[in-house]
Amino acid sequence: MKLQDKVCIVTGAASGIGKEIAHAYAREGGKVAIADLNLEAAQASADDIIKAGGTAMAVMMDVTSEEQVNAAVAAVVAAYGGVDVLVSNAGIQIVHPIEEFPFSDWKKMLAIHLDGAFLTTRACVPHMQKSGKGGSIIYMGSVHSKEASVLKSAYVTAKHGLMGLCKTVSKEGGKYGIRANVICPGFVRTPLVNKQIPEQAAALKISEEDVIKKVMLKETVDGEFTTVQDVAEVALLFAGFESNALTGQSLVVSHGWFMQ
Ligand code: NAD
């Protein structure tokens, strides 16, 4: 068991990548808090973990709300005694050409991806310092932390921003054994991506099949989607790695779409 009794908070864990990470952590012995806007789906996911013999709780959290983030982290600490792993994963996608991008959508994107990462980090770090054991903070970046695509100015900006936050948290966290790393997945077939396919087809005036083949998977080595399981494996590696040897790093898991 790589995460026996480690307290792991995963944001956006009611769906997609975060849900799979939460389940993978629970299978490795972690006590998992599923933090999401969608409390009903978060509770259903926690119930599945408990039925399978794991330990999990659901907490309501809008990652853009300082009050909700602080309250949810406090509830997890009250229930499980601390925080060892934070996966800042909650995210959405909004695509527009830059000249048509509504300012409100731009601000919403930056709030969820960047304010969310900041607020959850700030709420968890004191507990990792206090325990004397440090911890692991994992940001869900993207190939778009390293690369750009048309229509995605806000997403690309936010995902690049996480790299800066990660490096700073690594430097500040070093003396406490608090590590920070970024996972950079390629396209994963989750509700977030399924929503984009028709949107991009309309914006680029091509078929949905061509969006998948000629846009999303064009640069991969094999035309394959990355899976939630692939991403969860990387999340396990970062969470279970016990020294500062692996901090301030980013790992791309994308079927070779982006090569360092
Ligand atoms: P998803 O839509 O399946 O799940 C996102 C979850 O985040 C949902 O449960 C949703 O309720 C929650 N959420 C949204 N706004 C929130 C908020 N303000 N507060 C709390 N929770 C909120 O999406 P996914 O594909 O699993 O994406 C998860 C993360 O992975 C995102 O950060 C995304 O940018 C990143 N990512 C996804 C892909 C991909 O291809 N799917 C690729 C690279 C990176």
Side-chain angles (χ1 to χ4, degrees):
M1 294 281 207
K2 289 181 190 144
L3 298 177
Q4 191 64 53
D5 294 329
K6 298 264 188 203
V7 179
C8 309
I9 299 179
V10 187
T11 71
S15 173
I17 292 171
K19 183 175 180 179
E20 183 61 29
I21 291 172
H23 284 245
Y25 282 1
R27 285 194 295 272
E28 289 294 335
K31 296 177 179 174
V32 180
I34 296 182
D36 206 286
L37 259 187
N38 184 342
L39 186 58
E40 203 181 318
Q43 189 61 57
S45 191
D47 289 345
D48 286 345
I49 289 174
I50 293 162
K51 265 186 233 143
T55 305
M57 66 189 283
V59 280
M60 170 69 198
M61 184 195 283
D62 176 347
V63 297
T64 68
S65 158
E66 185 175 11
E67 293 73 26
Q68 284 192 29
V69 168
N70 291 341
V73 171
V76 175
V77 171
Y80 291 155
V83 185
D84 300 297
V85 177
L86 165 67
V87 184
S88 169
N89 164 80
I92 63 165
Q93 178 61 281
I94 303 177
V95 298
H96 297 290
I98 187 89
E99 67 277 16
E100 291 168 18
F101 219 110
F103 190 32
S104 56
D105 282 351
W106 170 269
K107 285 194 278 200
K108 186 173 177 185
M109 287 291 286
L110 268 51
I112 294 176
H113 291 274
L114 290 178
D115 295 358
F118 161 69
L119 289 171
T120 50
T121 300
R122 195 186 60 176
C124 290
V125 158
H127 300 289
M128 294 176 174
Q129 290 175 340
K130 218 174 1 182
S131 74
K133 295 182 293 171
S136 176
I137 298 178
I138 299 165
Y139 299 106
M140 194 54 62
S142 163
V143 164
H144 287 114
S145 298
K146 316 229 168 214
E147 185 60 90
S149 292
V150 294
L151 310 176
K152 296 190 175 172
S153 52
Y155 190 79
V156 170
T157 301
K159 292 301 191 189
H160 274 65
L162 291 177
M163 302 284 291
L165 178 64
C166 166
K167 290 177 190 174
T168 310
V169 172
S170 300
K171 291 206 169 187
E172 293 187 14
K175 61 176 179 285
Y176 303 102
I178 299 171
R179 305 169 298 284
N181 293 287
V182 184
I183 304 176
C184 301
F187 282 101
V188 183
R189 203 79 199 253
T190 65
L192 178 142
V193 161
N194 287 334
K195 179 173 165 281
Q196 278 176 67
I197 295 170
E199 286 173 0
Q200 290 214 22
L204 299 172
K205 298 185 175 48
I206 57 176
S207 70
E208 293 190 14
E209 198 182 29
D210 280 352
V211 170
I212 294 173
K213 278 197 186 144
K214 297 183 180 166
V215 180
M216 291 182 164
L217 304 179
K218 181 169 172 252
E219 302 292 342
T220 62
V221 296
D222 52 11
E224 299 275 344
F225 278 101
T226 301
T227 65
V228 290
Q229 290 80 11
D230 295 327
V231 182
E233 278 299 320
V234 179
L236 263 177
L237 168 75
F238 281 136
F241 203 93
E242 292 285 351
S243 87
N244 283 344
L246 191 59
T247 195
Q249 304 303 308
S250 54
L251 202 153
V252 181
V253 51
S254 72
H255 281 255
W257 166 13
F258 181 85
M259 298 191 191
Q260 309 263 15

